[in-house]
């Protein structure tokens, strides 16, 4: 089963992805984590993206799409994908469809975790303390939110027409969201 967790930064995608990884024995595909790893390794990609990442800016599609392509064609991960933070633009969503088609896969569920701006600011402030992420300060959060509204919102319009699309109130407690997801996937 392949799933997409979709929603603004701080919506709880990562938390729910971790739950689903355990429940389904799937893989969390977090482009944010993959990009942070490149920075930690100080790779060529890492050097290119470090400033934009710290500023909360969008990383260019070519870099992100390449990382995703490697994952989709990894036979170990086939039909065990939980996308967290990808796709984030219409061109990424279209690219994902092409890659899935050519690897004989499809998306079974798209969950949109819908959260308002105030909740996001509160949550990310807490995460900043817990995880010490450099892109978690209020100005950066607001910039990431604005980028989401501009660039990622069209992806929502694209996916909301899909019969496998489900909107969930992302301001609910973690367990309540988990229960709703579990009820939809029904395994
Ligand atoms: P996240 O961990 O999903 O909140 O992502 C952290 C940061 O990584 C974002 O603010 C972007 O700079 C970058 N990033 C993650 N995923 C993507 C993506 N799909 N496209 C472009 N940039 C991304």
């Amino acid at each position: 089963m392949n799933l997409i967790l979709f929603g603004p930064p701080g919506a709880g995608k990562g938390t729910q992805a971790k739950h689903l990884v355990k429940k389904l024995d799937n893989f969390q595909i977090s482009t944010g984590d993959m990009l942070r790893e490149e920075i930690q390794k100080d790779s060529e990609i890492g050097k290119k993206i470090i400033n934009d990442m710290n500023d909360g800016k969008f990383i260019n599609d070519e870099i992100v799409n390449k990382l995703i392509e490697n994952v989709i064609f990894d036979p170990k991960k086939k039909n065990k994908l939980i996308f967290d933070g990808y796709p984030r633009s219409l061109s990424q969503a279209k690219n994902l469809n092409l890659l899935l088609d050519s690897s004989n896969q499809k998306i079974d569920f798209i969950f949109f975790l819908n959260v308002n701006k105030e909740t996001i600011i509160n949550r990310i402030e807490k995460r900043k303390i817990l995880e010490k992420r450099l892109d978690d300060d209020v100005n950066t959060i607001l910039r990431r939110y604005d980028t989401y509204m501009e660039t990622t919102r069209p992806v929502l319009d694209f996916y909301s027409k899909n019969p496998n699309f489900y909107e969930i109130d992302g301001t609910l407690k973690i367990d309540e969201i988990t229960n709703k997801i579990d009820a939809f996937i029904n395994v």
Side-chain angles (χ1 to χ4, degrees):
M1 182 186 296
N2 293 324
L3 289 104
I4 295 178
L5 292 165
F6 189 76
K13 302 185 293 293
T15 305
Q16 297 303 329
K18 287 188 174 67
H19 158 75
L20 287 163
V21 162
K22 273 199 209 135
K23 187 180 172 82
L24 302 171
D25 192 27
N26 274 26
F27 295 87
Q28 179 182 5
I29 313 302
S30 158
T31 39
D33 284 350
M34 289 158 109
L35 294 166
R36 279 185 286 277
E37 219 175 277
E38 295 294 328
I39 293 177
Q40 252 167 11
K41 285 192 296 195
D42 200 24
S43 67
E44 282 310 306
I45 293 179
K47 288 188 183 106
K48 268 195 215 154
I49 64 173
I50 186 162
N51 290 333
D52 283 345
M53 282 284 286
N54 288 343
D55 287 348
K57 289 191 195 143
F58 217 71
I59 304 307
N60 106 24
D61 279 348
E62 211 182 309
I63 293 180
V64 181
N65 286 341
K66 187 72 207 160
L67 292 174
I68 285 293
E69 187 178 334
N70 294 340
V71 165
I72 289 185
F73 287 98
D74 180 345
K76 263 199 334 260
K77 298 185 179 162
K78 187 166 183 180
N79 287 319
K80 286 180 168 286
L81 304 167
I82 297 169
F83 292 98
D84 157 19
Y86 185 95
R88 253 174 158 99
S89 66
L90 210 48
S91 74
Q92 290 182 4
K94 290 181 176 166
N95 178 66
L96 178 60
N97 274 357
L98 287 177
L99 292 172
L100 289 169
D101 277 350
S102 51
S103 63
N104 246 324
Q105 299 184 74
K106 63 180 175 57
I107 295 295
D108 298 287
F109 293 95
I110 301 161
F111 293 114
F112 169 45
L113 306 182
N114 196 0
V115 195
N116 56 41
K117 203 168 179 171
E118 291 68 42
T119 308
I120 290 169
I121 293 173
N122 286 336
R123 283 188 186 166
I124 297 192
E125 294 249 88
K126 278 189 204 143
R127 184 170 77 185
K128 182 185 177 182
I129 297 164
L130 288 173
E131 296 180 18
K132 299 193 178 65
R133 272 178 58 166
L134 282 176
D135 60 350
D136 279 348
D137 72 59
V138 172
N139 286 333
T140 313
I141 294 160
L142 294 176
R143 194 159 41 237
R144 288 167 68 207
Y145 188 80
D146 291 342
T147 307
Y148 165 80
M149 289 308 271
E150 264 169 49
T151 321
T152 313
R153 213 44 218 210
V155 186
L156 183 59
D157 301 332
F158 178 77
Y159 280 136
S160 60
K161 298 180 192 101
N162 192 304
N164 299 333
F165 175 90
Y166 300 91
E167 179 168 341
I168 296 176
D169 178 359
T171 62
L172 294 173
K173 294 200 187 92
I174 291 174
D175 285 355
E176 291 172 326
I177 298 176
T178 304
N179 290 341
K180 282 189 187 286
I181 291 178
D182 287 354
F184 283 127
I185 62 179
N186 198 16
V187 287

